[in-house]
Amino acid sequence: MTVSENKLWKSLNADLEDDTHAVPDMEVWDLYSENRELLGKDHIRGNRLPEDGYHLVVHVWIRNTKGEYLISQRSANRPTFPLIWECVDGSVLKGEDSLQGAVREAKEEAGVDLLPENGHIVFSNTIKKEFGKIANKIVDVWLFEYNGEADLSSATTDEAAQIAWLNRSQIKELFRKKMFLDTLEYFFTEVDK
């Protein structure tokens, strides 16, 4: 299933109780077991995740040869953490693998065309709860080398208010001022070692 087909929900699960199949641009995810095995079930973003179903999420750190990282400030209209800085991130869509999701999210959010061969997974983590709620996500943290232009006008969504190339000290200052998403503090020990 292509990303475009994914956006238009085609009900593969007849047991859904609500009328979500009528809503266009619906985001559909594959569900995984806690051990990252595909369950063969779909999940619609916004619906409660089943107790034993996990979705795949990517965090995408983009670094240039100067040692700077491309980060983004969340738009003011975002329902959670508006105007807070973060790396590119998002959920992997149905039919995508982690790498495809990372490349797509970078284009959507930051307008950057990443080459798959320039990225690698730094680490993966399974998160059952986050912010006091069931999260059920498997997070792959990616690091990509990229020296091209970063132009938010090439982004395909309005999720980011702005993007910027910042070095470790500048990112640390944003953390200190509580202007960077605190769940990404692993950056200092796992990404920029």
Side-chain angles (χ1 to χ4, degrees):
M1 177 181 281
T2 67
V3 172
S4 326
E5 292 169 329
N6 184 45
K7 298 243 179 195
L8 297 173
W9 172 246
K10 293 179 182 176
S11 179
L12 299 175
N13 299 315
D15 60 335
L16 289 175
E17 295 177 39
D18 57 355
D19 193 25
T20 53
H21 64 278
V23 180
D25 297 332
M26 179 94 29
E27 194 170 290
V28 182
W29 306 331
D30 285 314
L31 283 181
Y32 296 82
S33 72
E34 190 171 2
N35 298 322
R36 204 179 181 128
E37 297 159 336
L38 267 173
L39 296 177
K41 297 178 184 176
D42 297 342
H43 181 78
I44 300 171
R45 181 183 187 144
N47 289 349
R48 173 182 263 166
L49 282 161
E51 188 77 23
D52 62 345
Y54 290 74
H55 71 289
L56 188 55
V57 173
V58 290
H59 290 182
V60 186
W61 294 93
I62 302 166
R63 180 176 61 200
N64 65 21
T65 51
K66 297 178 194 172
E68 298 168 323
Y69 294 85
L70 185 66
I71 62 167
S72 61
Q73 184 184 39
R74 295 169 67 87
S75 293
N77 65 358
R78 299 287 296 272
T80 56
F81 310 107
L83 301 177
I84 296 295
W85 289 86
E86 65 180 353
C87 65
V88 167
D89 72 340
S91 294
V92 174
L93 301 177
K94 177 177 177 53
E96 287 183 327
D97 62 23
S98 178
L99 177 58
Q100 291 167 326
V103 170
R104 177 187 47 77
E105 286 290 345
K107 179 62 175 178
E108 284 181 2
E109 291 183 20
V112 172
D113 291 309
L114 296 177
L115 296 174
E117 60 269 22
N118 290 344
H120 68 276
I121 290 181
V122 177
F123 72 95
S124 294
N125 190 20
T126 301
I127 301 171
K128 184 81 175 156
K129 286 192 171 191
E130 191 172 57
F131 308 115
K133 296 180 354 186
I134 292 178
N136 281 14
K137 58 186 178 180
I138 300 167
V139 181
D140 283 346
V141 177
W142 286 89
L143 178 60
F144 280 85
E145 301 298 329
Y146 177 79
N147 287 298
E149 290 298 313
D151 182 3
L152 197 53
S153 68
S154 299
T156 60
T157 68
D158 64 353
E159 294 179 50
Q162 61 180 317
I163 55 177
W165 288 104
L166 298 182
N167 63 33
R168 179 187 177 96
S169 337
Q170 293 167 316
I171 293 171
K172 193 163 195 133
E173 184 62 13
L174 285 175
F175 268 101
R176 191 186 69 72
K177 292 179 176 178
K178 301 199 180 306
M179 295 172 60
F180 208 96
L181 195 59
D182 62 354
T183 57
L184 301 177
E185 196 164 12
Y186 67 76
F187 166 78
F188 300 105
T189 56
E190 302 296 327
V191 178
D192 190 64
K193 298 180 185 184

